[in-house]
Amino acid sequence: MTGGALLGEMAVIFGGAISGSWLLRRAWSLKTGKAPWRWAGLSLLAINLIWSAWALGYARGPFIALTLLAVAALGVIASGHTLRPAKAGRAAREGLAPEPAERAMSAWRTTLRWSLAGPVGMIAAMALGISYAVWAPGEMQTRLLIGGLIVPLAWGGAMAWTLADSRILRATAMLVGTAVFGFGAAMLKGFT
């Protein structure tokens, strides 16, 4: 199959995907009488999928058709996007996470919060990862891999927690305690 013929068939498949997506979107937006639009859209998409398998091959055709369907559906949905102006004078929105408490800014609190989010949080995360690698059952390579994957997740959690928590000394005690406990537990057993 030549490149021009392939592009032509892909254009036909893309047109069918756009048409089927539009019919389904039309069915979705109606209050009554949805069934004919829904059946037409689903039938067109099924025919599009079957035709692509016949025209491009049983492996490549459906793959291309489903990929183009996703792009076409995204385009159809995005074409109906409307930008609404924000409502003025609206108080804090319900259901969203609350903002961190208003804190008194001082140099030592800022320095402590920065060091907890960065190096101390990293050390505590490494302690968790190393402790997992030492104590978990299984093959050595698997334990090392999972322990290494724990470190960035735990470090990100430590960063988010220390930056959002209004009690900085509680976060300090928890992270230092986690680091001491994790490295202490790893030293007790050793890596075998």
Side-chain angles (χ1 to χ4, degrees):
M1 175 174 292
T2 65
L6 178 65
L7 286 177
E9 291 177 5
M10 286 176 56
V12 171
I13 293 169
F14 190 62
I18 289 174
S19 301
S21 300
W22 183 83
L23 290 170
L24 288 176
R25 180 164 171 82
R26 175 90 172 137
W28 185 24
S29 64
L30 292 175
K31 301 271 186 218
T32 60
K34 295 181 177 196
W37 294 97
R38 188 180 308 136
W39 278 107
L42 289 175
S43 299
L44 185 59
L45 292 178
I47 291 169
N48 198 23
L49 189 66
I50 293 168
W51 182 82
S52 67
W54 175 76
L56 300 176
Y58 293 110
R60 188 169 55 167
F63 173 77
I64 291 173
L66 290 175
T67 304
L68 291 176
L69 172 62
V71 173
L74 181 64
V76 167
I77 291 170
S79 69
H81 174 72
T82 57
L83 186 61
R84 297 182 202 156
K87 293 182 180 178
R90 189 175 214 181
R93 295 174 67 179
E94 301 295 326
L96 293 179
E99 293 294 325
E102 294 295 325
R103 303 179 190 113
M105 298 301 288
S106 64
W108 78 270
R109 281 182 159 285
T110 303
T111 304
L112 182 61
R113 198 170 296 280
W114 176 84
S115 65
L116 285 176
V120 176
M122 180 191 61
I123 291 169
M126 287 175 55
L128 287 175
I130 291 171
S131 179
Y132 178 86
V134 168
W135 283 95
E139 293 295 322
M140 176 177 49
Q141 295 87 353
T142 305
R143 292 183 294 163
L144 284 172
L145 177 72
I146 294 173
L149 292 173
I150 287 173
V151 173
L153 293 174
W155 190 11
M159 281 184 187
W161 180 42
T162 56
L163 294 174
D165 195 2
S166 57
R167 297 188 182 189
I168 193 73
L169 296 178
R170 174 176 56 189
T172 304
M174 192 65 182
L175 290 177
V176 170
T178 301
V180 169
F181 178 76
F183 283 125
M187 283 188 243
L188 282 176
K189 184 175 181 197
F191 190 69
T192 55

